[in-house]
Amino acid sequence: QVCTFPCQCPSQPLQCPAGTSHVWDACGCCKVCAQQLGELCSLHRPCDHHKGLYCDFSKIHRGSGICLAHEGATCDLLGKTYLNGESFQPTCKLQCICMDGAIGCIPLCSDDLRLPSPECPNPRRVKFHNKCCEEWVCEEGSEENHFGTAMAVFREDPAHKPELNHLQDNCLVQTTEWSACSRSCGMGISARVTNNNPQCRLEKETRLCMVRPCDFSMEKAKKGKKCVRTPKQRQSLHFEFSGCTSTRSYRPRFCGSCSDGRCCTPFLTSTMDVEFRCPEGDFFQRKMMFIKMCSCHYDCPRDNDIFLATYHRRMIGDHI
């Protein structure tokens, strides 16, 4: 009775606070900003189920309720206790949430990098006293060195200076190696910095990565060997990310294990676009790492999962 068809949704993009999920309303018509712990909720304003919240209609009448969290462990941080499902900001640069005893945070300040360019030859990050996050400013230089710093990322041609409409032609592409996967098992994130874009500007790129599934059964090492480097998946599988599933199956290679204390990590990789389909019918593409070869060594990475105690959790529901 509260749903009207055909659906009429706002034409403007949805703008939600940092750390807030985009979820479907009860009619399945429109994506809305999920209500948080302690906020009023209804069929048209559902609670953030990604954080284990539900709408309790027993507290308030007239079709409204209040968002409560399922029972779970509290979190302690810097002498303060937070309830399961509670969002909080320990500093102005972080938005955090307590999930059953584990704390996960997302940055509120951009970590973008800016490379010198003809229109901004001397970029510099500045901290303003009335703002939390640092901002990029362009310092004016003399005419003699106006292009000096910027030329470091453009092809050296003394006869020509890079024109604004030919930045890509003159750009000297610089790209870092991909960082190590953020998780030792299960789906993680890898990042790199590159200026391979029309603006020749240094930007951060990310890709999904999986060194090995968390339930991966290791092969036995051959006689005389202490490591299994790169076992190949015998059966095809579908990748899962934030409750969404890859539209096609893959037979990826994963890194094995060692019995002498060494770690096996990716050594040669490639990057491919993988398409995912969500339960609501949405499709999206993400770059993903595919392992070609692993290496075994003693320089073992530390576990840097955001949700340290919840690596077994799987986000289900709506893709943000």
PDB file of all heavy atoms in Angstrom, residues 4-37:
ATOM      1  N   THR A   4       4.193   2.883  -4.788  1.00  0.00           N
ATOM      2  CA  THR A   4       3.504   3.335  -5.987  1.00  0.00           C
ATOM      3  C   THR A   4       4.355   3.007  -7.201  1.00  0.00           C
ATOM      4  O   THR A   4       5.575   3.193  -7.192  1.00  0.00           O
ATOM      5  CB  THR A   4       3.268   4.859  -5.937  1.00  0.00           C
ATOM      6  OG1 THR A   4       4.517   5.532  -5.766  1.00  0.00           O
ATOM      7  CG2 THR A   4       2.338   5.220  -4.781  1.00  0.00           C
ATOM      8  N   PHE A   5       3.708   2.496  -8.231  1.00  0.00           N
ATOM      9  CA  PHE A   5       4.407   2.128  -9.464  1.00  0.00           C
ATOM     10  C   PHE A   5       3.784   2.860 -10.636  1.00  0.00           C
ATOM     11  O   PHE A   5       2.575   3.116 -10.635  1.00  0.00           O
ATOM     12  CB  PHE A   5       4.342   0.608  -9.661  1.00  0.00           C
ATOM     13  CG  PHE A   5       5.042  -0.161  -8.567  1.00  0.00           C
ATOM     14  CD1 PHE A   5       4.320  -0.709  -7.518  1.00  0.00           C
ATOM     15  CD2 PHE A   5       6.416  -0.305  -8.587  1.00  0.00           C
ATOM     16  CE1 PHE A   5       4.963  -1.405  -6.509  1.00  0.00           C
ATOM     17  CE2 PHE A   5       7.067  -1.005  -7.575  1.00  0.00           C
ATOM     18  CZ  PHE A   5       6.333  -1.552  -6.540  1.00  0.00           C
ATOM     19  N   PRO A   6       4.514   3.233 -11.696  1.00  0.00           N
ATOM     20  CA  PRO A   6       5.953   2.967 -11.812  1.00  0.00           C
ATOM     21  C   PRO A   6       6.774   3.797 -10.826  1.00  0.00           C
ATOM     22  O   PRO A   6       6.313   4.805 -10.309  1.00  0.00           O
ATOM     23  CB  PRO A   6       6.261   3.385 -13.253  1.00  0.00           C
ATOM     24  CG  PRO A   6       5.215   4.407 -13.578  1.00  0.00           C
ATOM     25  CD  PRO A   6       3.967   3.957 -12.859  1.00  0.00           C
ATOM     26  N   CYS A   7       7.992   3.327 -10.605  1.00  0.00           N
ATOM     27  CA  CYS A   7       8.861   3.981  -9.613  1.00  0.00           C
ATOM     28  C   CYS A   7       9.227   5.396 -10.061  1.00  0.00           C
ATOM     29  O   CYS A   7       9.448   5.643 -11.241  1.00  0.00           O
ATOM     30  CB  CYS A   7      10.139   3.172  -9.425  1.00  0.00           C
ATOM     31  SG  CYS A   7       9.851   1.498  -8.785  1.00  0.00           S
ATOM     32  N   GLN A   8       9.301   6.288  -9.116  1.00  0.00           N
ATOM     33  CA  GLN A   8       9.742   7.658  -9.372  1.00  0.00           C
ATOM     34  C   GLN A   8      10.870   7.979  -8.398  1.00  0.00           C
ATOM     35  O   GLN A   8      10.636   8.189  -7.216  1.00  0.00           O
ATOM     36  CB  GLN A   8       8.581   8.646  -9.190  1.00  0.00           C
ATOM     37  CG  GLN A   8       7.497   8.502 -10.253  1.00  0.00           C
ATOM     38  CD  GLN A   8       6.402   9.537 -10.094  1.00  0.00           C
ATOM     39  OE1 GLN A   8       6.318  10.211  -9.072  1.00  0.00           O
ATOM     40  NE2 GLN A   8       5.563   9.670 -11.110  1.00  0.00           N
ATOM     41  N   CYS A   9      12.093   7.999  -8.938  1.00  0.00           N
ATOM     42  CA  CYS A   9      13.275   8.245  -8.114  1.00  0.00           C
ATOM     43  C   CYS A   9      13.894   9.587  -8.477  1.00  0.00           C
ATOM     44  O   CYS A   9      13.748  10.053  -9.610  1.00  0.00           O
ATOM     45  CB  CYS A   9      14.307   7.135  -8.321  1.00  0.00           C
ATOM     46  SG  CYS A   9      13.677   5.485  -7.914  1.00  0.00           S
ATOM     47  N   PRO A  10      14.594  10.217  -7.547  1.00  0.00           N
ATOM     48  CA  PRO A  10      15.259  11.495  -7.842  1.00  0.00           C
ATOM     49  C   PRO A  10      16.261  11.331  -8.990  1.00  0.00           C
ATOM     50  O   PRO A  10      16.947  10.306  -9.085  1.00  0.00           O
ATOM     51  CB  PRO A  10      15.978  11.839  -6.536  1.00  0.00           C
ATOM     52  CG  PRO A  10      15.245  11.063  -5.475  1.00  0.00           C
ATOM     53  CD  PRO A  10      14.772   9.812  -6.143  1.00  0.00           C
ATOM     54  N   SER A  11      16.300  12.307  -9.857  1.00  0.00           N
ATOM     55  CA  SER A  11      17.207  12.245 -11.004  1.00  0.00           C
ATOM     56  C   SER A  11      18.641  12.568 -10.620  1.00  0.00           C
ATOM     57  O   SER A  11      19.583  12.185 -11.318  1.00  0.00           O
ATOM     58  CB  SER A  11      16.747  13.222 -12.095  1.00  0.00           C
ATOM     59  OG  SER A  11      16.679  14.546 -11.579  1.00  0.00           O
ATOM     60  N   GLN A  12      18.834  13.253  -9.502  1.00  0.00           N
ATOM     61  CA  GLN A  12      20.177  13.629  -9.076  1.00  0.00           C
ATOM     62  C   GLN A  12      20.865  12.465  -8.366  1.00  0.00           C
ATOM     63  O   GLN A  12      20.205  11.651  -7.716  1.00  0.00           O
ATOM     64  CB  GLN A  12      20.124  14.841  -8.150  1.00  0.00           C
ATOM     65  CG  GLN A  12      19.549  16.082  -8.822  1.00  0.00           C
ATOM     66  CD  GLN A  12      19.404  17.250  -7.857  1.00  0.00           C
ATOM     67  OE1 GLN A  12      19.472  17.049  -6.649  1.00  0.00           O
ATOM     68  NE2 GLN A  12      19.201  18.431  -8.390  1.00  0.00           N
ATOM     69  N   PRO A  13      22.199  12.352  -8.507  1.00  0.00           N
ATOM     70  CA  PRO A  13      22.942  11.268  -7.848  1.00  0.00           C
ATOM     71  C   PRO A  13      22.760  11.311  -6.338  1.00  0.00           C
ATOM     72  O   PRO A  13      22.632  12.378  -5.738  1.00  0.00           O
ATOM     73  CB  PRO A  13      24.401  11.537  -8.239  1.00  0.00           C
ATOM     74  CG  PRO A  13      24.330  12.417  -9.446  1.00  0.00           C
ATOM     75  CD  PRO A  13      23.080  13.221  -9.307  1.00  0.00           C
ATOM     76  N   LEU A  14      22.776  10.142  -5.737  1.00  0.00           N
ATOM     77  CA  LEU A  14      22.592  10.028  -4.298  1.00  0.00           C
ATOM     78  C   LEU A  14      23.842  10.503  -3.567  1.00  0.00           C
ATOM     79  O   LEU A  14      24.956  10.086  -3.872  1.00  0.00           O
ATOM     80  CB  LEU A  14      22.296   8.564  -3.949  1.00  0.00           C
ATOM     81  CG  LEU A  14      21.710   8.260  -2.575  1.00  0.00           C
ATOM     82  CD1 LEU A  14      20.384   8.974  -2.382  1.00  0.00           C
ATOM     83  CD2 LEU A  14      21.526   6.752  -2.425  1.00  0.00           C
ATOM     84  N   GLN A  15      23.682  11.412  -2.621  1.00  0.00           N
ATOM     85  CA  GLN A  15      24.789  11.939  -1.832  1.00  0.00           C
ATOM     86  C   GLN A  15      24.602  11.500  -0.381  1.00  0.00           C
ATOM     87  O   GLN A  15      23.709  11.971   0.308  1.00  0.00           O
ATOM     88  CB  GLN A  15      24.833  13.473  -1.914  1.00  0.00           C
ATOM     89  CG  GLN A  15      25.052  14.031  -3.312  1.00  0.00           C
ATOM     90  CD  GLN A  15      26.460  13.755  -3.821  1.00  0.00           C
ATOM     91  OE1 GLN A  15      27.396  13.594  -3.039  1.00  0.00           O
ATOM     92  NE2 GLN A  15      26.617  13.708  -5.133  1.00  0.00           N
ATOM     93  N   CYS A  16      25.450  10.565   0.075  1.00  0.00           N
ATOM     94  CA  CYS A  16      25.348  10.049   1.437  1.00  0.00           C
ATOM     95  C   CYS A  16      26.607  10.392   2.220  1.00  0.00           C
ATOM     96  O   CYS A  16      27.689  10.527   1.637  1.00  0.00           O
ATOM     97  CB  CYS A  16      25.161   8.533   1.422  1.00  0.00           C
ATOM     98  SG  CYS A  16      23.659   7.963   0.573  1.00  0.00           S
ATOM     99  N   PRO A  17      26.507  10.507   3.545  1.00  0.00           N
ATOM    100  CA  PRO A  17      27.704  10.756   4.361  1.00  0.00           C
ATOM    101  C   PRO A  17      28.704   9.623   4.208  1.00  0.00           C
ATOM    102  O   PRO A  17      28.341   8.491   3.841  1.00  0.00           O
ATOM    103  CB  PRO A  17      27.144  10.821   5.792  1.00  0.00           C
ATOM    104  CG  PRO A  17      25.686  11.120   5.629  1.00  0.00           C
ATOM    105  CD  PRO A  17      25.275  10.476   4.346  1.00  0.00           C
ATOM    106  N   ALA A  18      29.987   9.910   4.490  1.00  0.00           N
ATOM    107  CA  ALA A  18      31.036   8.895   4.385  1.00  0.00           C
ATOM    108  C   ALA A  18      30.714   7.694   5.269  1.00  0.00           C
ATOM    109  O   ALA A  18      30.280   7.837   6.410  1.00  0.00           O
ATOM    110  CB  ALA A  18      32.379   9.494   4.790  1.00  0.00           C
ATOM    111  N   GLY A  19      30.895   6.491   4.726  1.00  0.00           N
ATOM    112  CA  GLY A  19      30.655   5.272   5.483  1.00  0.00           C
ATOM    113  C   GLY A  19      29.211   4.823   5.519  1.00  0.00           C
ATOM    114  O   GLY A  19      28.879   3.855   6.204  1.00  0.00           O
ATOM    115  N   THR A  20      28.330   5.507   4.771  1.00  0.00           N
ATOM    116  CA  THR A  20      26.911   5.154   4.738  1.00  0.00           C
ATOM    117  C   THR A  20      26.599   4.391   3.460  1.00  0.00           C
ATOM    118  O   THR A  20      26.958   4.816   2.370  1.00  0.00           O
ATOM    119  CB  THR A  20      26.031   6.418   4.813  1.00  0.00           C
ATOM    120  OG1 THR A  20      26.331   7.112   6.030  1.00  0.00           O
ATOM    121  CG2 THR A  20      24.552   6.059   4.793  1.00  0.00           C
ATOM    122  N   SER A  21      25.913   3.273   3.605  1.00  0.00           N
ATOM    123  CA  SER A  21      25.603   2.427   2.453  1.00  0.00           C
ATOM    124  C   SER A  21      24.452   2.991   1.636  1.00  0.00           C
ATOM    125  O   SER A  21      23.590   3.714   2.147  1.00  0.00           O
ATOM    126  CB  SER A  21      25.237   1.015   2.920  1.00  0.00           C
ATOM    127  OG  SER A  21      26.272   0.441   3.673  1.00  0.00           O
ATOM    128  N   HIS A  22      24.446   2.628   0.343  1.00  0.00           N
ATOM    129  CA  HIS A  22      23.300   2.894  -0.521  1.00  0.00           C
ATOM    130  C   HIS A  22      22.469   1.623  -0.562  1.00  0.00           C
ATOM    131  O   HIS A  22      22.955   0.584  -1.007  1.00  0.00           O
ATOM    132  CB  HIS A  22      23.755   3.239  -1.950  1.00  0.00           C
ATOM    133  CG  HIS A  22      24.604   4.466  -2.033  1.00  0.00           C
ATOM    134  ND1 HIS A  22      25.105   4.952  -3.221  1.00  0.00           N
ATOM    135  CD2 HIS A  22      25.048   5.319  -1.077  1.00  0.00           C
ATOM    136  CE1 HIS A  22      25.816   6.041  -2.993  1.00  0.00           C
ATOM    137  NE2 HIS A  22      25.795   6.278  -1.697  1.00  0.00           N
ATOM    138  N   VAL A  23      21.244   1.659  -0.091  1.00  0.00           N
ATOM    139  CA  VAL A  23      20.399   0.462  -0.033  1.00  0.00           C
ATOM    140  C   VAL A  23      19.070   0.730  -0.730  1.00  0.00           C
ATOM    141  O   VAL A  23      18.655   1.873  -0.915  1.00  0.00           O
ATOM    142  CB  VAL A  23      20.149   0.023   1.433  1.00  0.00           C
ATOM    143  CG1 VAL A  23      21.455  -0.342   2.123  1.00  0.00           C
ATOM    144  CG2 VAL A  23      19.445   1.119   2.217  1.00  0.00           C
ATOM    145  N   TRP A  24      18.411  -0.359  -1.122  1.00  0.00           N
ATOM    146  CA  TRP A  24      17.101  -0.243  -1.758  1.00  0.00           C
ATOM    147  C   TRP A  24      16.038   0.045  -0.715  1.00  0.00           C
ATOM    148  O   TRP A  24      16.101  -0.459   0.420  1.00  0.00           O
ATOM    149  CB  TRP A  24      16.740  -1.546  -2.468  1.00  0.00           C
ATOM    150  CG  TRP A  24      17.558  -1.833  -3.693  1.00  0.00           C
ATOM    151  CD1 TRP A  24      18.577  -2.724  -3.806  1.00  0.00           C
ATOM    152  CD2 TRP A  24      17.403  -1.241  -4.988  1.00  0.00           C
ATOM    153  NE1 TRP A  24      19.083  -2.712  -5.071  1.00  0.00           N
ATOM    154  CE2 TRP A  24      18.388  -1.815  -5.822  1.00  0.00           C
ATOM    155  CE3 TRP A  24      16.550  -0.268  -5.502  1.00  0.00           C
ATOM    156  CZ2 TRP A  24      18.522  -1.450  -7.157  1.00  0.00           C
ATOM    157  CZ3 TRP A  24      16.682   0.086  -6.833  1.00  0.00           C
ATOM    158  CH2 TRP A  24      17.657  -0.495  -7.648  1.00  0.00           C
ATOM    159  N   ASP A  25      15.033   0.830  -1.101  1.00  0.00           N
ATOM    160  CA  ASP A  25      13.884   1.012  -0.208  1.00  0.00           C
ATOM    161  C   ASP A  25      13.028  -0.250  -0.240  1.00  0.00           C
ATOM    162  O   ASP A  25      13.295  -1.177  -1.016  1.00  0.00           O
ATOM    163  CB  ASP A  25      13.079   2.255  -0.589  1.00  0.00           C
ATOM    164  CG  ASP A  25      12.533   2.195  -2.016  1.00  0.00           C
ATOM    165  OD1 ASP A  25      12.417   1.081  -2.563  1.00  0.00           O
ATOM    166  OD2 ASP A  25      12.227   3.266  -2.586  1.00  0.00           O
ATOM    167  N   ALA A  26      12.004  -0.293   0.624  1.00  0.00           N
ATOM    168  CA  ALA A  26      11.194  -1.506   0.745  1.00  0.00           C
ATOM    169  C   ALA A  26      10.443  -1.841  -0.531  1.00  0.00           C
ATOM    170  O   ALA A  26      10.060  -2.993  -0.752  1.00  0.00           O
ATOM    171  CB  ALA A  26      10.212  -1.355   1.913  1.00  0.00           C
ATOM    172  N   CYS A  27      10.211  -0.858  -1.389  1.00  0.00           N
ATOM    173  CA  CYS A  27       9.501  -1.098  -2.642  1.00  0.00           C
ATOM    174  C   CYS A  27      10.422  -1.628  -3.739  1.00  0.00           C
ATOM    175  O   CYS A  27       9.961  -2.025  -4.802  1.00  0.00           O
ATOM    176  CB  CYS A  27       8.835   0.194  -3.121  1.00  0.00           C
ATOM    177  SG  CYS A  27       7.653   0.887  -1.934  1.00  0.00           S
ATOM    178  N   GLY A  28      11.728  -1.608  -3.474  1.00  0.00           N
ATOM    179  CA  GLY A  28      12.672  -2.041  -4.493  1.00  0.00           C
ATOM    180  C   GLY A  28      12.771  -1.056  -5.637  1.00  0.00           C
ATOM    181  O   GLY A  28      13.174  -1.429  -6.743  1.00  0.00           O
ATOM    182  N   CYS A  29      12.409   0.174  -5.386  1.00  0.00           N
ATOM    183  CA  CYS A  29      12.396   1.191  -6.438  1.00  0.00           C
ATOM    184  C   CYS A  29      13.687   1.989  -6.501  1.00  0.00           C
ATOM    185  O   CYS A  29      14.329   2.066  -7.533  1.00  0.00           O
ATOM    186  CB  CYS A  29      11.229   2.155  -6.214  1.00  0.00           C
ATOM    187  SG  CYS A  29       9.661   1.588  -6.903  1.00  0.00           S
ATOM    188  N   CYS A  30      14.050   2.604  -5.388  1.00  0.00           N
ATOM    189  CA  CYS A  30      15.126   3.595  -5.393  1.00  0.00           C
ATOM    190  C   CYS A  30      16.191   3.245  -4.363  1.00  0.00           C
ATOM    191  O   CYS A  30      15.895   2.672  -3.310  1.00  0.00           O
ATOM    192  CB  CYS A  30      14.572   4.988  -5.080  1.00  0.00           C
ATOM    193  SG  CYS A  30      13.158   5.477  -6.098  1.00  0.00           S
ATOM    194  N   LYS A  31      17.431   3.614  -4.686  1.00  0.00           N
ATOM    195  CA  LYS A  31      18.510   3.520  -3.706  1.00  0.00           C
ATOM    196  C   LYS A  31      18.423   4.745  -2.791  1.00  0.00           C
ATOM    197  O   LYS A  31      18.236   5.868  -3.255  1.00  0.00           O
ATOM    198  CB  LYS A  31      19.871   3.494  -4.414  1.00  0.00           C
ATOM    199  CG  LYS A  31      20.211   2.170  -5.112  1.00  0.00           C
ATOM    200  CD  LYS A  31      20.602   1.116  -4.095  1.00  0.00           C
ATOM    201  CE  LYS A  31      21.060  -0.174  -4.770  1.00  0.00           C
ATOM    202  NZ  LYS A  31      22.419  -0.099  -5.288  1.00  0.00           N
ATOM    203  N   VAL A  32      18.542   4.508  -1.484  1.00  0.00           N
ATOM    204  CA  VAL A  32      18.479   5.590  -0.499  1.00  0.00           C
ATOM    205  C   VAL A  32      19.660   5.466   0.451  1.00  0.00           C
ATOM    206  O   VAL A  32      20.325   4.424   0.507  1.00  0.00           O
ATOM    207  CB  VAL A  32      17.148   5.543   0.294  1.00  0.00           C
ATOM    208  CG1 VAL A  32      15.960   5.787  -0.614  1.00  0.00           C
ATOM    209  CG2 VAL A  32      17.007   4.202   1.020  1.00  0.00           C
ATOM    210  N   CYS A  33      19.929   6.522   1.202  1.00  0.00           N
ATOM    211  CA  CYS A  33      20.989   6.488   2.208  1.00  0.00           C
ATOM    212  C   CYS A  33      20.487   5.703   3.419  1.00  0.00           C
ATOM    213  O   CYS A  33      19.422   6.019   3.966  1.00  0.00           O
ATOM    214  CB  CYS A  33      21.387   7.900   2.631  1.00  0.00           C
ATOM    215  SG  CYS A  33      22.065   8.920   1.304  1.00  0.00           S
ATOM    216  N   ALA A  34      21.212   4.678   3.808  1.00  0.00           N
ATOM    217  CA  ALA A  34      20.783   3.837   4.922  1.00  0.00           C
ATOM    218  C   ALA A  34      20.816   4.610   6.234  1.00  0.00           C
ATOM    219  O   ALA A  34      21.715   5.409   6.479  1.00  0.00           O
ATOM    220  CB  ALA A  34      21.673   2.605   5.010  1.00  0.00           C
ATOM    221  N   GLN A  35      19.817   4.364   7.084  1.00  0.00           N
ATOM    222  CA  GLN A  35      19.766   4.991   8.404  1.00  0.00           C
ATOM    223  C   GLN A  35      20.760   4.300   9.339  1.00  0.00           C
ATOM    224  O   GLN A  35      21.003   3.099   9.233  1.00  0.00           O
ATOM    225  CB  GLN A  35      18.355   4.916   8.980  1.00  0.00           C
ATOM    226  CG  GLN A  35      17.298   5.612   8.120  1.00  0.00           C
ATOM    227  CD  GLN A  35      17.557   7.103   7.988  1.00  0.00           C
ATOM    228  OE1 GLN A  35      18.082   7.567   6.987  1.00  0.00           O
ATOM    229  NE2 GLN A  35      17.207   7.846   9.018  1.00  0.00           N
ATOM    230  N   GLN A  36      21.326   5.077  10.267  1.00  0.00           N
ATOM    231  CA  GLN A  36      22.355   4.560  11.158  1.00  0.00           C
ATOM    232  C   GLN A  36      21.787   4.282  12.553  1.00  0.00           C
ATOM    233  O   GLN A  36      20.629   4.537  12.835  1.00  0.00           O
ATOM    234  CB  GLN A  36      23.507   5.556  11.219  1.00  0.00           C
ATOM    235  CG  GLN A  36      24.118   5.890   9.868  1.00  0.00           C
ATOM    236  CD  GLN A  36      24.610   4.669   9.116  1.00  0.00           C
ATOM    237  OE1 GLN A  36      25.471   3.941   9.606  1.00  0.00           O
ATOM    238  NE2 GLN A  36      24.074   4.435   7.918  1.00  0.00           N
ATOM    239  N   LEU A  37      22.645   3.733  13.416  1.00  0.00           N
ATOM    240  CA  LEU A  37      22.241   3.338  14.759  1.00  0.00           C
ATOM    241  C   LEU A  37      21.588   4.499  15.503  1.00  0.00           C
ATOM    242  O   LEU A  37      22.143   5.600  15.560  1.00  0.00           O
ATOM    243  CB  LEU A  37      23.463   2.845  15.532  1.00  0.00           C
ATOM    244  CG  LEU A  37      23.200   2.261  16.919  1.00  0.00           C
ATOM    245  CD1 LEU A  37      22.484   0.923  16.793  1.00  0.00           C
ATOM    246  CD2 LEU A  37      24.500   2.081  17.693  1.00  0.00           C
TER     247      LEU A  37
END
